């Protein structure tokens, strides 16, 4: 139990090598007593690690050879294995596992795995292009808004809004995606879960680029830059290529602004005063003013109207660009 919780905490904090080692240690200790629960706990960690790092060969082999778990874990086992295989590039095998889970009305999760199971189902549905299953999984996650998704001390799936925002992005509900991912970014920043923060910022940048509202590209550039730095620092191999591709699509032009400064710049362009910006971002008016001053310095401007004009020209560059494909 200590090993599995150690693995869960390390995975949540982006210490992937430590998480994998702790999960492996717990598996070795437990499998001589109860092999099936030991395998389930070990793969439970591997399922969520696969969201951010390349699946291990051992985990893939174990997922392929694992005998059926007890009935109440059957849906969870099949959906989890489907996601692990999908992240390993074994799409046909993943699709076969997902089909064996049955239609959404047949899914059956243990009460303590409803949210993690629905997250896994949503991710598999996105990867396989299964619209009905995605809609069902997102609906199942709605009651968990504002919460962090944790499965039995085995796996941490980030704030619910990370998956809800990604799902909305894939469905083309861009305003919903932006709103949910804004919440997710704030929720990730507070407890210190950097991998999910990087993921939320990446998806948010994708949503902003696709939406192309005033100020969206500027903010997308800053978010993509910050996300990429975290992705590389943490060794998030599952996101490295997509992150680099997003930066290539965005190109230069964020002026070196941070994500927060980009948010403030977008609000300045919308005509908000420092007091209104402070209220919108839940910061002090003095802090808002400092952000505006830093933006002016970085961009070499002297007035708020120059910020607005610069943002408008930045957006116009991408108005006719092809929006990136959903992740």
């Amino acid at each position: 139990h200590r090993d599995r919780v150690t693995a869960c905490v390390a995975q949540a904090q982006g210490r992937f090598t430590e998480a994998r080692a702790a999960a492996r240690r717990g598996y070795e200790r437990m499998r001589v007593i109860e092999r099936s629960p030991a395998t389930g706990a070990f793969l439970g960690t591997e399922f969520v690690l696969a969201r951010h790092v390349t699946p291990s060969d051992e985990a893939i082999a174990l997922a392929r050879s694992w005998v059926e778990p007890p009935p109440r874990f059957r849906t969870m086992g099949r959906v989890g294995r489907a996601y692990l295989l999908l992240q390993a590039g074994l799409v046909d095998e993943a699709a076969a596992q997902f089909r064996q889970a049955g239609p959404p009305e047949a899914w059956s999760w243990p009460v303590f795995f409803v949210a993690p199971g629905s997250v896994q189902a949503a991710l598999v549905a996105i990867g396989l292009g299964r619209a009905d299953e995605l809609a069902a999984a997102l609906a199942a996650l709605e009651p968990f808004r504002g919460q962090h998704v944790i499965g039995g001390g085995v796996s941490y799936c980030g704030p619910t809004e990370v998956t809800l925002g990604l799902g909305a992005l894939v469905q083309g509900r861009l305003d919903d995606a932006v709103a949910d991912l804004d919440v997710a970014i704030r929720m990730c920043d507070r407890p210190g879960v950097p991998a999910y923060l990087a993921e939320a910022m990446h998806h948010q940048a994708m949503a902003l680029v696709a939406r192309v509202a005033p100020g969206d590209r500027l903010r997308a550039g800053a978010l993509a830059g910050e996300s990429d730095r975290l992705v590389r620092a943490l060794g998030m191999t599952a996101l490295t290529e997509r992150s680099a591709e997003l930066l290539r699509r965005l190109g230069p032009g964020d002026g070196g602004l941070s994500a927060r400064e980009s948010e403030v710049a977008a609000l300045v362009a919308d005509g908000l005063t420092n007091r209104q910006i402070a209220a919108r971002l839940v910061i002090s008016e003095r802090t808002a003013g400092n952000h505006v001053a830093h933006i002016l310095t970085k961009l070499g401007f002297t007035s708020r109207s120059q910020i607005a004009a610069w943002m408008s020209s930045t957006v116009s560059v991408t108005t006719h660009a092809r929006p990136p494909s959903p992740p």
Side-chain angles (χ1 to χ4, degrees), residues 76 109-122 137 140-141 143-144 147-151 157-158 160 163:
M76 188 73 191
W109 315 103
V111 65
F112 46 87
F113 270 111
V114 172
S118 299
V119 167
Q120 292 284 335
L141 285 172
F144 301 98
Q147 301 179 40
H148 291 262
V149 178
I150 304 172
C157 301
T160 307
T163 302

Side-chain angles (χ1 to χ4, degrees), residues 207-226:
L208 292 166
V209 169
R211 189 175 69 170
V212 199
D216 278 357
R217 183 185 181 279
L218 177 65
R219 188 178 174 212
L223 286 168
E226 288 201 16

Side-chain angles (χ1 to χ4, degrees), residues 171-231:
Q171 291 176 331
R173 297 184 288 109
L174 300 179
D175 288 340
D176 290 340
V178 169
D180 281 338
L181 290 165
D182 272 340
V183 173
I185 289 169
R186 291 195 297 272
M187 290 182 68
C188 288
D189 204 23
R190 283 199 297 268
V193 286
Y196 285 95
L197 176 60
E199 183 187 346
M201 290 193 295
H202 174 81
H203 297 326
Q204 183 69 299
M206 295 282 286
L208 292 166
V209 169
R211 189 175 69 170
V212 199
D216 278 357
R217 183 185 181 279
L218 177 65
R219 188 178 174 212
L223 286 168
E226 288 201 16
S227 173
D228 188 69
R229 284 188 285 273
L230 271 177
V231 164

Side-chain angles (χ1 to χ4, degrees), residues 27 30-41 62 65-67:
Y27 172 65
M30 186 63 180
R31 69 174 179 168
V32 298
I33 305 169
E34 290 186 291
R35 188 176 184 87
S36 183
T39 304
L62 196 57
S65 62
W66 190 23
V67 297

Side-chain angles (χ1 to χ4, degrees), residues 58-293:
E58 179 186 24
I60 295 167
L62 196 57
R64 283 171 150 174
S65 62
W66 190 23
V67 297
E68 282 295 303
R72 69 173 182 158
F73 291 102
R74 199 155 289 161
T75 299
M76 188 73 191
R78 288 168 176 164
V79 171
R81 277 184 283 185
Y83 184 63
L84 192 62
L85 294 167
L86 185 65
Q87 291 298 89
L90 303 170
V91 179
D92 291 342
E93 292 184 47
Q97 284 289 336
F98 201 45
R99 278 195 296 271
Q100 289 180 27
E105 57 268 24
W107 293 346
S108 177
W109 315 103
V111 65
F112 46 87
F113 270 111
V114 172
S118 299
V119 167
Q120 292 284 335
L123 296 175
V124 176
I126 289 170
L128 296 177
R130 304 289 290 270
D132 291 344
E133 286 86 346
L134 174 58
L138 295 178
L141 285 172
E142 281 293 332
F144 301 98
R145 282 184 174 278
Q147 301 179 40
H148 291 262
V149 178
I150 304 172
V154 173
S155 55
Y156 172 66
C157 301
T160 307
E161 280 79 0
V162 175
T163 302
L164 287 174
L166 173 58
L169 170 59
V170 171
Q171 291 176 331
R173 297 184 288 109
L174 300 179
D175 288 340
D176 290 340
V178 169
D180 281 338
L181 290 165
D182 272 340
V183 173
I185 289 169
R186 291 195 297 272
M187 290 182 68
C188 288
D189 204 23
R190 283 199 297 268
V193 286
Y196 285 95
L197 176 60
E199 183 187 346
M201 290 193 295
H202 174 81
H203 297 326
Q204 183 69 299
M206 295 282 286
L208 292 166
V209 169
R211 189 175 69 170
V212 199
D216 278 357
R217 183 185 181 279
L218 177 65
R219 188 178 174 212
L223 286 168
E226 288 201 16
S227 173
D228 188 69
R229 284 188 285 273
L230 271 177
V231 164
R232 287 185 285 106
L234 296 172
M236 297 171 63
T237 51
L239 281 174
T240 302
E241 188 174 328
R242 281 183 285 163
S243 179
E245 173 60 23
L246 178 58
L247 285 178
R248 283 193 293 270
R249 286 174 174 172
L250 284 166
D254 66 3
L257 302 185
S258 69
R260 177 61 90 186
E261 287 168 347
S262 295
E263 286 183 292
V264 172
L267 296 175
V268 168
D270 288 341
L272 274 66
T273 64
N274 287 353
R275 178 172 295 180
Q276 291 168 325
I277 291 171
R280 178 75 63 87
L281 299 180
V282 195
I283 57 179
S284 71
E285 186 174 351
R286 182 174 181 177
T287 299
N290 287 338
H291 283 312
V292 173

Side-chain angles (χ1 to χ4, degrees), residues 34-55:
E34 290 186 291
R35 188 176 184 87
S36 183
T39 304
F42 174 68
L43 286 178
T45 300
E46 287 287 346
F47 294 157
V48 287
L49 281 172
R51 187 164 180 167
H52 296 142
V53 294
T54 306

Side-chain angles (χ1 to χ4, degrees), residues 312-325:
S312 178
S313 64
T314 303
V315 170
S316 68
V317 171
T318 59
T319 300
H320 302 293
R322 179 175 62 84
S325 302

